[in-house]
Amino acid sequence: AHVGLGQVMLPMSTPAVLAEGGVYLMYYMGGSHEETFVSEYVEDTNDVPDDATIKGMRLKIGVAMSQDGMTWGRVEGDDPTGACMAPYDASDPNMRGTAGLRDDDDSLLNIEEELYCGWPEVAVAHVDGEDSPAMGKKPPAFFMYYSTMLKNTKEKAIACAVSEDGFRWLKRGVVLRPSTSDDDGDNNFDKGGCARCTVVRKSVYDEEKGIWEDGTKGWVMYYEGVSAEDGRHRVMSAESDDGREWTKTVGGVGSPHILRLDDGARRMYYTGQAEDGSTAIGVAKCVGKGFVREQVEIAFA
């Protein structure tokens, strides 16, 4: 029914995928013509007819591979549809193994049921010589962060999966969910949901060499927080030392994407929405701490 782009990874961005000349990996999402009940996605069902259905909401994630970045071939995943990541449904006989998944430390995971999986963001997790202090061994080669809605609570959250090769993924559960604090402040800006993130490794800019060095341990996530008060979307952030346990930091925009520039600054591209409902692409630049909007002109022919 429809597809959407998640992320494209450049050739040889990790030694985990080896091919002559390197390969591009594209992670995307898609929805089929399968119908699901609208009532599954809303908290207040009083105004929703019992038989109201919608197509394409049960999003799944796929991966494709390319030698030149132009011609792509789909890589079949474990799901019967060919997807590499599908929403967890305890009643689905194809997902019986998910209920018994164990974490890297062999503890039993509690994977919550999901209504969709979309907007994948993949980060290269393993760096040669870096070990996991908790287990004394190397972490998985890849982390995938994806947006989902939890079946039982209707929360929009960000979940995580891990992979050794970038093709076969194992769920690890929700890593970021909406704030529940009643305190006033910035943390309330995502009480309506967390979604669509971009993740970058913590890094330091070496002014003498003129390059970014990933010597600082940990990760920074920029994600889209939805306010339960005014419905506005805002870019917020969280930090993690291991890619699994995240701590929120203080953040009407969303869908952030970060680039690290050669001059030591960071530039963020995002989507903004005006009061009349119109949308536009915005740009902000950060030198040191805090982002400042830049005046840009983007024309679509």
Side-chain angles (χ1 to χ4, degrees), residues 46-113:
N46 292 328
D47 296 329
V48 179
D50 294 337
D51 58 351
T53 60
I54 187 172
K55 293 182 179 180
M57 278 295 292
R58 191 172 171 77
L59 296 173
K60 298 181 180 182
I61 295 170
V63 59
M65 187 167 58
S66 172
Q67 293 284 349
D68 58 9
M70 299 175 63
T71 303
W72 295 86
R74 180 183 179 184
V75 180
E76 294 294 313
D78 291 338
D79 189 75
T81 64
C84 68
M85 180 61 58
Y88 173 48
D89 181 353
S91 64
D92 187 343
N94 295 306
M95 294 189 168
R96 290 174 181 170
T98 303
L101 278 178
R102 291 188 175 274
D103 209 339
D104 299 328
D105 61 359
D106 204 38
S107 61
L108 188 64
L109 289 164
N110 178 26
I111 306 297
E112 300 172 76
E113 289 189 274

Side-chain angles (χ1 to χ4, degrees), residues 189-269:
F189 288 153
D190 69 355
K191 290 180 68 175
C194 304
R196 294 187 285 195
C197 69
T198 183
V199 176
V200 294
R201 183 177 284 271
K202 289 182 180 179
S203 56
V204 177
Y205 183 72
D206 189 320
E207 294 186 1
E208 293 184 2
K209 297 179 180 178
I211 59 173
W212 288 89
E213 293 185 342
D214 295 335
T216 303
K217 184 176 179 58
W219 306 84
V220 178
M221 174 190 292
Y222 297 94
Y223 68 96
E224 184 173 328
V226 183
S227 171
E229 305 298 328
D230 56 21
R232 289 187 176 182
H233 294 229
R234 296 173 171 87
V235 174
M236 304 185 69
S237 61
E239 295 186 354
S240 174
D241 289 335
D242 59 7
R244 294 284 302 279
E245 299 290 334
W246 291 85
T247 301
K248 295 178 182 178
T249 55
V250 175
V253 298
S255 302
H257 186 78
I258 294 289
L259 293 179
R260 296 185 302 198
L261 306 181
D262 291 340
D263 62 359
R266 288 168 290 165
R267 178 167 282 140
M268 176 189 293
Y269 296 86

